[in-house]
Amino acid sequence: MKKVVYIASECVPFIKTGGLADVVGTLPKVFDKKNYDVRVIIPNYLCIPEKFRSKMSYITHFYMDMDWKQLYVGIMYLEYEGVKFYFIDNEYYFNGFTPYGDVKWDIEKFCYFSKAALSCLPAIGFQPDIIHCHDWQSGMVPVYLKTLFASNPFYSGMKSVMTIHNLQFQGRWDIKTIKAYSGLPDYVFTPDKLEINKDASMLKGGLVYADKITTVSNTYAQEIQTAYYGEGLNGLLSARHEDLWGIVNGIDYDIWNPATDPLITKNYSGKAWKKAKTENKKKLQEIMGLPVDEKQFVIGLVSRLTDQKGLDLIDCIMNDICQDGVQFIIIGTGDPKYENMFRYYQGIHPAKVSANIYYDEAKSHMLYAGCDVMLVPSRFEPCGLTQLMALRYGTPPIVRETGGLKDTVQPYNEFEQTGTGFSFANYNAHELLSVINYAKCVYYDHREQWNSLVDRALQQNYSWGESAKIYQDLYNCLCPWIQ
Ligand code: ADP
Ligand code: GLC
């Protein structure tokens, strides 16, 4: 039996701001329980819904040395859908309406969290063989493991994995501050360890000290070894390329299932999708405040509204997109400049654009099911889940050929009648516009081909099965002696 603990800052169904939560919440469920005991540690944010918080049980608490301070660490516990979840409790750090806020405060908070997550293992009586860390918020865990915890026999022989979901966020601040927050010794703050251009990077720490590194698609694993995508860490990642695995994400096929999804208007499966998708489209148009007309070509976008997501390209061509026969529905929150941009376009094209500037899981299901194409024109995209959800609902994605988008969407080829979506290569608004117009032309003028494209999208399988096997290979590779 291999024992693995996931340490992360978010996890469905408890707390989510993006795809990281989907991965941390669904991957542990798919391992075979006879051979893998996978548990999860996340913070006990006050903003976790009360329906979960009220079911948690208190395990214990202790005080942890952090530099010169003694900090409270409470441990709460909840078993959910067969997985054991532990929540690090400290109201000083984990209050507030969202998991993240001010960057400097987040850095202090996640230094505390990383050390607390490691420190709580003896208290919960779980001695993992592998500690699997996700993104910068748990980047300090491998560093602590190999430094301050190295002489403690409880931790000896434990292996660590660092998974990069997004290299852009690193938990980076000046060395003096991070040294004080983390209580780590001077010798880790050198350019071959945590230092990056005179600052310290918590993610870099994880990438230097972890035994293996993974990221969430093969293409992103290659891209981050180049200067354009490498965020200053491409040298390190190239040097460690033999330890760097690209493993594409899956999605939870039980939750995201057009045949059973209770959140959509009409369920569908196999080849019998046409009438149901039309019903879903009409309901979607109604609730999103657009004219109800099944003939419209409806473009969907569900996204964090940040520079990563290619929204400046949309800004350049929005008036060209909003031609006859097209509607555009956005659900997203994030950077005010993009929130206001979409509100503005809704203002000038009220019958064509519906800007829903909020986070709404239920409406996102209706959008995946009811629109005709899903737009994901990202500047970079480690994996991307919205294109996988779109494929699952028979909605061809329009993507830029980068990261996981490139690995999961095969571009439509009208000559061979292959492909599951549409794609463009360069980060250029007119390339995006021409591919949107091409998709629109196939939709309106070549309906049979369009229908086969939807059939092929529906036949794709991006459940966790295959990727979970690769994670098992990785764990076997780290601890081959444990069956
Ligand atoms: P990222 O993690 O970079 O935000 P992903 O594509 O990996 O991108 O994951 C995004 C996840 O968040 C998907 O599950 C998507 O449906 C969801 N999501 C993003 N914005 C919203 C929103 N405003 N309302 C509902 N779900 C959203
Ligand atoms: C990150 C990436 C996204 C990926 C997700 C889950 O937020 O931006 O591409 O799908 O993590 O791995």
Side-chain angles (χ1 to χ4, degrees), residues 16-23 165-166 249 256 302-305 308-309 331-333 356-364 368 376 381-387 389:
K16 166 169 167 180
T17 70
L20 168 64
D22 290 300
V23 174
H165 296 264
N166 193 333
N249 287 332
W256 300 98
V302 180
S303 186
R304 284 186 298 117
L305 303 180
Q308 174 191 342
K309 301 294 179 177
I331 306 180
T333 52
N356 306 280
I357 308 303
Y358 46 68
Y359 187 93
D360 191 323
E361 193 90 22
K363 287 205 180 119
S364 80
Y368 289 119
V376 201
E381 196 60 76
C383 177
L385 300 178
T386 59
Q387 82 282 10
M389 289 153 183

